[in-house]
Amino acid sequence: MAIERLFRRRRTRGEGREVPDLWIRCQACGSQLYKKDLEQNLGVCPHCGHHHRIPVEDWVRILADEGSFEAITGKVRPVDALSFVDTEPYPERLARYQQKTGRPDAIYGGRATIGGVKSVLLVMDYAFAGGSMGSVVGEEIARGAELAAREDRALVIVTASGGARMQEGALSLMQMAKTTMALEFVFQKRLPYVSILTHPTTGGVTASFATLADVILAEPDALIGFAGPRVIKQTIRQDLPEGFQRSEFLLKHGLLDAVVDRRKLKEELVRVLRLFSEDPDAA
Amino acid sequence: MAIERLFRRRRTRGEGREVPDLWIRCQACGSQLYKKDLEQNLGVCPHCGHHHRIPVEDWVRILADEGSFEAITGKVRPVDALSFVDTEPYPERLARYQQKTGRPDAIYGGRATIGGVKSVLLVMDYAFAGGSMGSVVGEEIARGAELAAREDRALVIVTASGGARMQEGALSLMQMAKTTMALEFVFQKRLPYVSILTHPTTGGVTASFATLADVILAEPDALIGFAGPRVIKQTIRQDLPEGFQRSEFLLKHGLLDAVVDRRKLKEELVRVLRLFSEDPDAA
Amino acid sequence: MPLEFERPLVELEEKIRALEATAREQNLDLSDEIELLKGKLERLQREIFAGLTPWQRVQVARAPGRPTTLDVAERIFEDFYELRGDRAFADDPAIVGGLARFAGRRVVFVGHQKGRNTKENIARNFGMPHPEGYRKAMRLMDLADREGVPFLAFIDTPGAYPGVSAEERGQAWVIARSIQRMSRLRVPAVAVILGEGGSGGALAIGVGNRVLILENAWYSVISPESCAAILWRDAKEAERAAAALKLTARDLLELGVVDRIVPEPGGGAHKNPEGAIRELESALLAVLRELEGLSPEELWQDRYRKFRALGAFEES
Amino acid sequence: MPLEFERPLVELEEKIRALEATAREQNLDLSDEIELLKGKLERLQREIFAGLTPWQRVQVARAPGRPTTLDVAERIFEDFYELRGDRAFADDPAIVGGLARFAGRRVVFVGHQKGRNTKENIARNFGMPHPEGYRKAMRLMDLADREGVPFLAFIDTPGAYPGVSAEERGQAWVIARSIQRMSRLRVPAVAVILGEGGSGGALAIGVGNRVLILENAWYSVISPESCAAILWRDAKEAERAAAALKLTARDLLELGVVDRIVPEPGGGAHKNPEGAIRELESALLAVLRELEGLSPEELWQDRYRKFRALGAFEES
Ligand SMILES: [Zn+2]
Ligand SMILES: [Zn+2]
């Protein structure tokens, strides 16, 4: 949902679609940007600082030390336990997203070192069903946490999610408990868990593993919350306050540790992870 | 301080002083009351429900089962560690309060059963230096808690205090830490600790043992807080909200478990203590 | 006001009452006719309730008169004392809880609380908690752990409150924390879905070693109305959503999300709350007895295994 | 603006500067005279600071330029990362803290934070925390415990904020809770009074195995001004109150309230913050080394014994 909303919002300003090939239009300020410039800026508009969504593989490139990444996700595949049909059957929906992303479900991750610190890095894929959490996402997060605990690795999760996967009903709700409980092993072994919240992170993901991290970082202007803004507007029948549920608002409200520009994220993450390490230079 | 304020406030309404002998005037509504009626009502005005301050011995009579009370306080006596002199030397001040109350310091208590539940009952004496907490109050509270833990007794503390005893300087501040730490033994042995906050309970007492109870009960309309209303008014340079820092306000703000009329207090306290007991009828 | 599908039952009940009145007034012996009708009523009740659609069950789960947490507390506990407040910000009337004695043993309980009438419902925010409600629940979990007594949670909420006041005080954060806190309990924990089990706001106090559900209660990742609004872009498709979400007691038992269904008396718990509560009482007692032999470590393991196993996927 | 009693020093400093300027401009050798004056300055400084009254020390403790928590963090830690917020209501800028590396070891630190200028001071509420500040501190205590690393607390507050916003969110409750949480730490805990140690708002993060105090800092149950207002009914009697309260480092050492005085360089820490921080660094390191051999249980015992013993009374 949120991605459509994003585009809708931007269009009121820029009107245009992306110009093909070398140029791209900033979704926030409408500036024409060299694709290469935007890539070098890790998807951040050099003019207005807007953080564009980037593919999960780019997240791995940004955060993992070069050549250190070794995927662990991909073997667990979703099934249609409820025989769920809305405007189309769930299996067809899944097939479409699988085709589009080349992934069985909305998560990608693996072992990596980050600034030399042994880690498990997991990235949610918003392009797959809005990053919604069903059984597969829950299972991969739980396995990732368990692996981190087993191999004495830091746990780093980059989130982007519209919430729970409705098509898996109560089973998707249960992933909130499952992921939360799997983190226990990470905490018991005194390993650090850092979450990086990107736009948008809402619903069951925010209300479970994403906000239980030792250190919660967020990208600028990311929408983060439990209920979505539309639901809230319906509830209170008023306009929402300026900046409501955005990173800076949440930082002020004591819910985040820092709002970090993507271009500085690796550096800050490494600092945090090394401050959690007994002897970072021996790592 | 607070007692003078109380009288001052009441006078604007009633003007009079107490009529001697059989009659007494309610400090809140000004009604003429039979002393005996007021006593039978445990100091609560039958007309307006105002809870008048009662002597600490009455508290013991109200809460302890008849004949069960055995005092433990009284051996610890205050000293003038700082050679403190304000408008009079601290030892003279102490002597005056000791004369007036017949007690070495602002606390009274002992072993008792309450509804059959073995307890340590401690009552702060506001008549002694405004119930201020110095080394003696801190020591007696700590010993009371340790005794409760040693003898498997519930801990019940009735508070009334203007805060810390200034004349004992940083030593009185340290009683906040001392009393807090002594409670640890009560908690470790899974014994219940109930505090009963009466008018007024402020400063270092509120900010230490008084609010760490498993169950916090308060008398109606009691002033309870950290800073006193005068200090707060000076800070914010505005009038304070209606009912601010009073029991009902605090209940709404999630800081108390219940506001209990003194005439129902024993009954409710017994229910609480019995709900903490494995087998209340075997007690 | 009866629910749509209850109308035939209501008509029959009225007939019976009319016959009874006639018999009384005219001093006639109509007992045979009355018995006949009562038998018919019972059969019809059974028939109708056996065939309820998921959406109809959602209506039953929301019906006024259904037992609330405090109704249950008043009936099944020998005594209880409500503890209030999060000791930090506010007392949330949408969540209640306290100390209690249940079948002779000490317990700590907590539960969503809906109003028993409109005025009370407004005061209790229709059972939709704010963060301070979950903080109160966590405080009570701490107490259960310290005292080493079982923890009982009664679930009955359309969901955690989705408003500005809740979001700015960290609704998502506190739900996550409450799930974590409950999962860490070192005492037996039982959750019961009394009526509505709305999403994360329900699960926050739902991490029990055993999860029970009343026969006509529902438990889902999203309410049928919201699901319909998102997937069909039309809240009126709630009936279809209710069926698709597999949110009924029987569906949930099959999925492994709940462990046991507590039967409701004929006509539903709202018609006979006492009957429903009696059934709940004996079910609760039974599961508590199952759990009371386990050590704190075993209880944690048991809870971990239960929730770790939930989910459906295949592995390639 | 220099403090009243600093005027002779300032005059001397100006004289030295003037001589130095003259020497430079006119290319004269005035080094003997300058050295003489510098020696005199040092003697006078020592003399004045040795003879400061308690009230004058209170002025020094409040002087702009004195090292704040973040000043200390920036100088003594190899690296640190600030963690923010109570994860519930707000980030209180009057309390800062985070992860750090200190002399090679991992630590968690927390501290009151005053502004380094007026604007920042307003933003930081003059170092007077709200309840959310103490909740942030407790969150950091949790982290220190979980990670098993020492906890360092830097105290510099006139007191916890005495306003409506703080009271209605349970200022007293949270201070009690913070004292309790800190006393329960299973890791070495060291508290340092950097400047002002105002009452419960200071003690809330002051329950260390060791409590250090800078030479001119104060620590008291009440500020001299408030004490004077209550006991003499005149805030102008603050000087008398300051003396009566025995709030100086030396008094507190005698009373057993602090364990060690960290010497300040000549002229006070506000004149030479780097020097003061260097002294603090080595003192901190020394006490940490004393504590690092102790087990979690021994650390708790040590803290309990220390605070249990504080107080003066006689027994009949
Ligand atoms: Zn731009
Ligand atoms: Zn009256």
Side-chain angles (χ1 to χ4, degrees), chain A residues 22-260:
Chain A
L22 296 171
W23 295 87
I24 200 166
R25 196 187 280 276
C26 171
Q27 290 175 354
C29 71
S31 304
Q32 290 289 351
L33 306 172
Y34 249 129
K35 263 193 178 174
K36 238 180 65 184
D37 273 3
L38 190 62
E39 271 162 30
Q40 272 174 359
N41 269 283
L42 313 181
V44 179
C45 171
H47 299 292
C48 73
H50 178 72
H51 283 53
H52 293 79
R53 182 162 299 124
I54 54 174
V56 292
E57 292 82 358
D58 285 10
W59 272 112
V60 171
R61 261 195 294 279
I62 291 172
L63 296 180
D65 298 341
E66 218 185 315
S68 75
F69 184 78
E70 177 203 335
I72 54 169
T73 56
K75 288 188 210 111
V76 183
R77 304 180 60 85
V79 298
D80 181 20
L82 272 57
S83 308
F84 199 100
V85 181
D86 50 277
T87 49
E88 67 184 316
Y90 183 44
E92 286 175 27
R93 220 176 251 280
L94 284 173
R96 204 150 38 76
Y97 286 123
Q98 284 164 347
Q99 178 112 40
K100 174 179 159 197
T101 62
R103 238 180 291 290
D105 210 309
I107 188 147
Y108 178 59
R111 294 182 183 88
T113 62
I114 298 175
V117 179
K118 280 170 57 189
S119 307
V120 166
L121 171 64
L122 297 165
V123 185
M124 299 189 78
D125 190 356
Y126 196 80
F128 193 111
S132 57
M133 173 162 69
S135 295
V136 173
V137 170
E139 182 68 20
E140 294 282 23
I141 300 248
R143 290 187 185 187
E146 287 159 356
L147 178 70
R150 211 161 47 238
E151 298 185 355
D152 288 314
R153 292 171 177 273
L155 178 64
V156 177
I157 307 184
V158 181
T159 67
S161 173
R165 179 85 47 92
M166 282 173 287
Q167 290 85 352
E168 298 188 21
L171 288 181
S172 75
L173 181 65
M174 294 302 122
Q175 306 310 307
M176 293 170 66
K178 184 204 273 189
T179 54
T180 295
M181 293 181 81
L183 293 175
E184 219 56 15
F185 299 105
V186 177
F187 297 138
Q188 278 169 10
K189 289 199 75 175
R190 296 183 167 176
L191 296 161
Y193 164 33
V194 180
S195 65
I196 297 162
L197 314 185
T198 77
H199 178 80
T201 298
T202 59
V205 167
T206 323
S208 64
F209 65 89
T211 52
L212 292 169
D214 294 305
V215 178
I216 307 179
L217 308 178
E219 291 207 307
D221 201 35
L223 177 79
I224 302 160
F226 181 59
R230 224 175 324 171
V231 176
I232 299 171
K233 225 185 275 184
Q234 275 170 15
T235 306
I236 62 164
R237 290 162 203 280
Q238 278 182 356
D239 281 339
L240 300 179
E242 177 70 21
F244 178 66
Q245 291 188 314
R246 298 281 167 169
S247 310
E248 295 71 15
F249 174 94
L250 297 168
L251 183 67
K252 243 188 92 187
H253 282 271
L255 301 168
L256 305 175
D257 288 298
V259 177
V260 185

Side-chain angles (χ1 to χ4, degrees), chain D residues 14-213:
Chain D
E14 273 163 13
K15 255 188 220 161
I16 294 168
R17 266 198 300 280
L19 268 185
E20 283 171 340
T22 310
R24 210 166 36 247
E25 281 155 24
Q26 310 191 0
N27 211 7
L28 295 172
D29 181 8
L30 300 175
S31 53
D32 284 359
E33 289 85 343
I34 291 172
E35 276 316 296
L36 204 74
L37 282 181
K38 281 193 174 167
K40 196 175 162 190
L41 174 65
E42 215 170 279
R43 275 193 308 280
L44 189 60
Q45 229 171 19
R46 238 195 327 266
E47 211 177 284
I48 288 177
F49 273 79
L52 288 185
T53 66
W55 178 239
Q56 285 171 329
R57 285 193 203 277
V58 170
Q59 308 308 310
V60 175
R62 293 169 177 169
R66 239 184 123 77
T68 68
T69 296
L70 287 176
D71 293 323
V72 173
E74 276 158 20
R75 297 259 166 69
I76 73 170
F77 295 143
E78 283 107 64
D79 191 17
F80 75 94
Y81 196 86
E82 198 183 332
L83 298 180
R84 292 176 64 183
D86 64 348
R87 301 254 167 114
F89 185 82
D91 180 51
D92 186 345
I95 286 193
V96 297
L99 294 160
R101 192 170 301 275
F102 175 54
R105 62 174 66 60
R106 302 172 55 203
V107 299
V108 169
F109 77 100
V110 76
H112 303 101
Q113 183 64 34
K114 293 185 179 175
R116 290 180 256 202
N117 54 53
T118 305
K119 196 184 145 201
E120 205 198 330
N121 233 335
I122 291 166
R124 297 206 179 268
N125 202 27
F126 301 89
M128 293 186 289
H130 276 77
E132 45 273 24
Y134 294 109
R135 293 203 172 91
K136 169 159 64 176
M138 286 192 271
R139 184 192 143 202
L140 290 164
M141 296 174 198
D142 289 346
L143 186 61
D145 254 354
R146 208 204 82 194
E147 292 293 312
V149 303
F151 183 76
L152 307 181
F154 301 102
I155 293 171
D156 189 15
T157 181
Y161 183 62
V164 171
S165 51
E167 291 288 327
E168 67 188 8
R169 298 203 288 274
Q171 189 71 288
W173 280 252
V174 77
I175 290 173
R177 200 55 77 178
S178 187
I179 292 170
Q180 183 180 60
R181 181 64 193 85
M182 190 163 175
S183 79
R184 287 177 175 173
L185 280 171
R186 298 177 61 74
V187 295
V190 180
V192 183
I193 301 135
L194 289 181
E196 300 193 86
S199 184
L203 178 64
I205 57 168
V207 192
N209 293 87
R210 298 291 184 276
V211 180
L212 314 187
I213 186 166

Side-chain angles (χ1 to χ4, degrees), chain D residues 209 291 293-305:
Chain D
N209 293 87
L291 297 170
L294 302 182
S295 72
E297 183 57 27
E298 285 168 335
L299 286 164
W300 186 86
Q301 292 283 356
D302 173 79
R303 226 175 286 123
Y304 180 76
R305 267 195 308 270

